[in-house]
Amino acid sequence: MALVSVTNLTRIFDVSKPWLNRVIERKPKAMLTAVSDVSFDIEERTVYALVGESGSGKSTIGKMLVGLLAPSTGSVDIRGVDLARETDAAKIDDVRADIQMIFQDPFASLNPRWRVRDIIVEPVAARGGETRGLAERLLEQVGLAARDAGKFPHEFSGGQRQRICIARALASEPKLIVCDEPTSALDVSVQAQVLNLMSDLKDEFGLTYLFISHDLTVVQHMADKIGVLYLGRLVEEADPDTLFDTPKHPYTQMLLAAAPQLDGFGREVAPPTGEIPDPINPPPGCAYNPRCPLAADICRTTRPELRRVGNARVACHMVD
Amino acid sequence: MTPTLSIRNLTVDIPTRHGTLRPVQDVSYDIAQGEILGVVGESGAGKSMAGNAVIGLLNPPAHIASGEIHLNGTRIDHLQGDDMRRLRGQQIGMVFQDPLTSLNPLLKIGDQLTETMLAHLDISQSEARKRAIAALEEVGIPGAAQRVDSYPHEFSGGMRQRVVIALALCAEPSLIIADEPTTALDVSVQAQIIALLKRLCRDRGTAVMLITHDMGVIAEAADRVAVMYAGQLTELGAVRDVLTAPLHPYTDGLMGSTPLASRGKARLHQIPGAMPRLDALPDGCAFHPRCPRAQADCVRNPGPTLSDGQGRAACFHPLVREDVA
Ligand SMILES: Nc1ncnc2c1ncn2[C@@H]1O[C@H](COP(=O)(O)OP(=O)(O)O)[C@@H](O)[C@H]1O
Ligand SMILES: Nc1ncnc2c1ncn2[C@@H]1O[C@H](COP(=O)(O)OP(=O)(O)O)[C@@H](O)[C@H]1O
Ligand code: SF4
Ligand SMILES: [Mg+2]
Ligand SMILES: [Mg+2]
């Protein structure tokens, strides 16, 4: 059984102006669909990556997985427990303890007035667990020194802070870590250190990652399975080899062609056309149809279902 | 032929209460007409400082301590005030990471374009407006004739960056300094902007200093590349040579730590540690504490430099490659 099952997950934000303004300006309510009918499974001890451009709904999905945001419709089941609907508080607590999150900005996510020790053990202390020596042990596990426990966050570089975030995430011995752009703020040599560390920890502790990134090469390096998002919709899902060797969805193809390549010397690509549409008024049918070279009439009227094509799942009318 | 831009032994100092910091140290490179020079390195390496020195935009107390900067053969590093401003408007165009730093939020973009043209070109108001619309068309703004009367906030991030490029080019400069022009943009928009920069420079023979931390962007856009580390130029050469067969251990480490399709899931190469802070630069070669090839002389001797703007690697023990001259 999958560790995580996401089923028809949808999140709608009300982004209307205040009621009075709406009345005066005669504007209707504005609803923004950040995540639309997304379904996928994450197998235990694997890395599932979500990739997509900004605003495609990656962070919103991540937040719904860890319970920071409630789904509008659809469900997230973790070990068979639906966090939004489960009524047994003990069960919810139990599952919550199995999930941790790491964010992009290691500066914003550490309380500057706390010592590193207190930051790291906080998730355990909050549940009344044993914390003696825990911070020191975890610091060594993430490549820092035990004596760093007494320092404050500002004494560390960006890469070191992300290690502290990782140590804190590990403290409660979670099964699943949602990593939202964990290395996007880091330089490449530091990114390499953090990615290697994350791979090591995964093997050592049998972790499962939801790995969110906009960087295709990082995703290709880390993931066992990749989901490509466009305007809140899952348009393609496959293992990295299948996805990168034979991308099927026209959007995936565009994205892969647009990504700069380390060996792309003097490469001239016809740059992609158009821009991501307004999520408040998405195009009818397939959200990609205004930019798609293959679009036919059906693409402008009917939303394509995600269906199995070879080793992949693809949401496109024109792929077979 | 005289290069469009020639930087020789450029050193930038920042005096502080605790001593002088040196964010740019003895840097030399040229950019030829129509050439794109990629300047790459990790954050804090001094890329922006070197670019800002060229356009006279160093924030005091940072200042050029020594060295020379020549634009089309004319020395410009000592220009002050209005002279520098005129040169900047006329001969050097600028594109920054955040397009809003280059745009006035209260002015219609058409007015910003015509204002710049009228200040630097001898043309009439109506001619300027015609050229503004043409410039917007050239950078790919749909419906340019209508959009010319829009304000910056009415454009998306990618479209704003196109407007900035139009603005940078409208006085027909011989050099463009683009400092992380696509870092805030999505990859599909980045591809559009890079393609645009390449096309415009090829068509007009403009020289470009393309500052970025993204090796992929460098590979695709640059003709030559300058690698910076801790304020110094560590490697300089044709982009294919430097990226496929780096000679400096730092460049080699950078390439190894970049995830690459062909390497699959193999462990990434790690450069231990991090770039030193300016107030704690090591003696000798600044890279030696992290360098797998370092020997006693790297610590003892003054750091190696590429002071003639030619050479390949500023290193006492560069990698040895049979296939590289
Ligand atoms: N709290 C919120 N209120 C309103 N809109 C939101 C909120 N959070 C996210 N959005 C919108 O939802 C969409 C998806 O956002 P996000 O999940 O952050 O995307 P990503 O992480 O892929 O960049 C965007 O259009 C964003 O503006
Ligand atoms: N006003 C300042 N005072 C002290 N140090 C500064 C100041 N401005 C920049 N620096 C330092 O100068 C160095 C070079 O910065 P910069 O040119 O912006 O690097 P890059 O563009 O390569 O990321 C950095 O180490 C930075 O911390
Ligand atoms: S469904 Fe149609 S519009 Fe959408 S990607 Fe496929 S071909 Fe293009
Ligand atoms: Mg996000
Ligand atoms: Mg910079």
Side-chain angles (χ1 to χ4, degrees):
Chain A
M1 196 182 75
L3 179 66
V4 178
S5 258
V6 170
T7 313
N8 305 117
L9 191 63
T10 299
R11 172 70 207 208
I12 299 170
F13 291 108
D14 184 345
V15 292
S16 314
K17 290 195 173 160
W19 172 80
L20 191 59
N21 294 46
R22 279 208 327 270
V23 173
I24 296 169
E25 297 170 26
R26 294 170 187 274
K27 289 257 169 69
K29 276 197 137 188
M31 299 306 231
L32 185 153
T33 306
V35 175
S36 177
D37 202 14
V38 166
S39 303
F40 61 90
D41 286 348
I42 309 179
E43 301 299 326
E44 198 154 2
R45 295 171 186 251
T46 65
V47 179
Y48 190 99
L50 284 175
V51 67
E53 298 181 278
S54 57
S56 59
K58 305 182 294 296
S59 296
T60 304
I61 293 177
K63 285 181 194 153
M64 287 193 279
L65 239 73
V66 298
L68 283 174
L69 262 182
S72 300
T73 59
S75 64
V76 176
D77 292 88
I78 295 175
R79 287 198 279 118
V81 177
D82 178 345
L83 283 179
R85 281 175 201 87
E86 178 61 54
T87 48
D88 183 344
K91 253 188 178 169
I92 293 183
D93 230 35
D94 201 35
V95 171
R96 280 270 158 77
D98 276 349
I99 317 171
Q100 285 293 333
M101 186 153 183
I102 303 170
F103 298 92
Q104 165 171 357
D105 186 350
F107 291 80
S109 47
L110 297 175
N111 186 332
R113 281 188 290 275
W114 285 20
R115 286 184 199 279
V116 165
R117 173 184 300 109
D118 302 321
I119 291 174
I120 291 177
V121 304
E122 194 268 341
V124 176
R127 305 168 54 84
E130 172 60 50
T131 62
R132 198 147 27 99
L134 179 62
E136 287 76 5
R137 206 164 61 241
L138 287 166
L139 281 168
E140 288 183 345
Q141 221 129 27
V142 299
L144 295 171
R147 64 179 185 299
D148 289 332
K151 295 184 184 165
F152 289 95
H154 71 86
E155 298 176 63
F156 297 87
S157 69
Q160 290 170 324
R161 283 184 218 210
Q162 201 56 295
R163 289 175 194 265
I164 294 171
C165 294
I166 293 171
R168 176 179 57 184
L170 291 172
S172 59
E173 300 180 12
K175 291 202 165 57
L176 171 71
I177 302 185
V178 172
C179 319
D180 192 353
E181 307 265 8
T183 61
S184 300
L186 305 177
D187 278 313
V188 0
S189 75
V190 181
Q191 165 172 285
Q193 297 167 359
V194 172
L195 292 179
N196 283 345
L197 173 68
M198 291 181 65
S199 299
D200 294 345
L201 294 172
K202 171 179 170 276
D203 296 343
E204 198 171 327
F205 296 107
L207 296 170
T208 304
Y209 292 142
L210 175 66
F211 192 95
I212 294 172
S213 177
H214 68 281
D215 187 325
L216 288 161
T217 52
V218 168
V219 159
Q220 181 175 26
H221 177 74
M222 291 296 285
D224 297 302
K225 197 169 256 183
I226 300 171
V228 183
L229 290 169
Y230 184 73
L231 215 67
R233 307 167 187 204
L234 192 61
V235 297
E236 182 159 5
E237 179 196 70
D239 63 87
D241 288 346
T242 306
L243 191 82
F244 282 84
D245 293 346
T246 52
K248 296 191 178 63
H249 196 285
Y251 175 66
T252 315
Q253 292 173 352
M254 183 276 271
L255 201 60
L256 296 191
Q261 292 166 11
L262 262 189
D263 52 1
F265 303 110
R267 191 171 70 113
E268 298 281 344
V269 280
T273 53
E275 297 200 339
I276 297 172
D278 177 4
I280 298 172
N281 295 303
C286 171
Y288 192 56
N289 85 67
R291 307 172 69 184
C292 181
L294 302 181
D297 284 344
I298 186 173
C299 307
R300 290 181 270 272
T301 56
T302 312
R303 177 168 166 178
E305 298 265 343
L306 195 69
R307 61 199 166 82
R308 181 150 295 286
V309 180
N311 282 335
R313 293 197 299 153
V314 188
C316 171
H317 293 300
M318 309 310 272
V319 168
D320 46 25
Chain B
M1 211 172 77
T2 318
T4 301
L5 180 73
S6 175
I7 299 179
R8 280 295 170 280
N9 311 104
L10 179 69
T11 294
V12 174
D13 277 357
I14 308 177
T16 74
R17 261 177 296 151
H18 313 285
T20 298
L21 302 177
R22 189 153 277 184
V24 178
Q25 187 179 337
D26 197 14
V27 164
S28 304
Y29 52 73
D30 293 343
I31 311 181
Q33 198 184 339
E35 179 180 60
I36 301 184
L37 177 81
V39 180
V40 72
E42 297 181 88
S43 50
K47 307 181 295 294
S48 297
M49 281 275 179
N52 289 346
V54 171
I55 49 189
L57 280 184
L58 289 174
N59 286 325
H63 63 277
I64 297 177
S66 59
E68 296 187 4
I69 302 170
H70 293 257
L71 187 68
N72 297 311
T74 308
R75 190 162 171 191
I76 62 164
D77 51 271
H78 53 272
L79 292 182
Q80 301 283 339
D82 281 348
D83 292 336
M84 191 69 220
R85 255 189 301 277
R86 199 168 315 116
L87 175 94
R88 200 153 64 213
Q90 221 155 29
Q91 296 201 45
I92 309 180
M94 289 166 295
V95 182
F96 296 111
Q97 174 170 340
D98 178 1
L100 291 179
T101 57
S102 316
L103 296 171
N104 182 339
L106 303 175
L107 274 187
K108 294 175 183 169
I109 58 157
D111 293 342
Q112 305 192 38
L113 286 161
T114 48
E115 219 169 70
T116 310
M117 285 190 239
L118 291 172
H120 300 292
L121 305 174
D122 190 16
I123 54 174
S124 69
Q125 178 78 42
S126 65
E127 171 67 17
R129 185 175 165 88
K130 238 189 267 160
R131 286 205 199 177
I133 295 172
L136 292 175
E137 268 165 7
E138 195 178 0
V139 297
I141 306 271
Q146 290 83 48
R147 301 289 273 163
V148 68
D149 291 317
S150 308
Y151 291 92
H153 73 262
E154 298 175 67
F155 291 84
S156 69
M159 285 296 159
R160 271 184 214 140
Q161 200 60 300
R162 290 172 191 262
V163 173
V164 170
I165 292 174
L167 195 60
L169 286 166
C170 70
E172 299 172 0
S174 53
L175 173 70
I176 296 253
I177 298 186
D179 191 346
E180 308 271 5
T182 60
T183 302
L185 304 176
D186 278 316
V187 308
S188 64
V189 184
Q190 165 169 284
Q192 296 169 349
I193 297 292
I194 294 292
L196 175 66
L197 265 180
K198 279 166 74 171
R199 174 168 60 81
L200 292 175
C201 297
R202 193 170 42 217
D203 293 354
R204 298 164 178 236
T206 316
V208 182
M209 182 191 297
L210 176 62
I211 299 173
T212 172
H213 64 282
D214 188 327
M215 279 289 188
V217 168
I218 294 280
E220 297 205 344
D223 301 302
R224 286 189 312 134
V225 59
V227 185
M228 288 190 73
Y229 183 81
Q232 294 160 33
L233 188 59
T234 53
E235 184 153 4
L236 181 67
V239 68
R240 187 187 291 268
D241 297 346
V242 173
L243 267 56
T244 58
L247 296 187
H248 196 288
Y250 174 61
T251 323
D252 192 48
L254 264 189
M255 295 309 295
S257 54
T258 308
L260 191 62
S262 56
R263 279 199 280 270
K265 286 203 176 318
R267 252 182 108 68
L268 297 169
H269 171 79
Q270 278 184 220
I271 310 176
M275 196 164 67
R277 289 160 40 137
L278 291 179
D279 56 5
L281 286 184
D283 288 336
C285 170
F287 188 58
H288 87 251
R290 306 175 72 189
C291 182
R293 302 176 67 82
Q295 296 175 28
D297 54 343
C298 305
V299 187
R300 212 171 39 231
N301 297 339
T305 63
L306 293 173
S307 58
D308 58 357
Q310 305 301 324
R312 254 298 284 279
C315 173
F316 293 123
H317 308 285
L319 283 88
V320 182
R321 298 192 185 268
E322 282 151 19
D323 47 343
V324 174

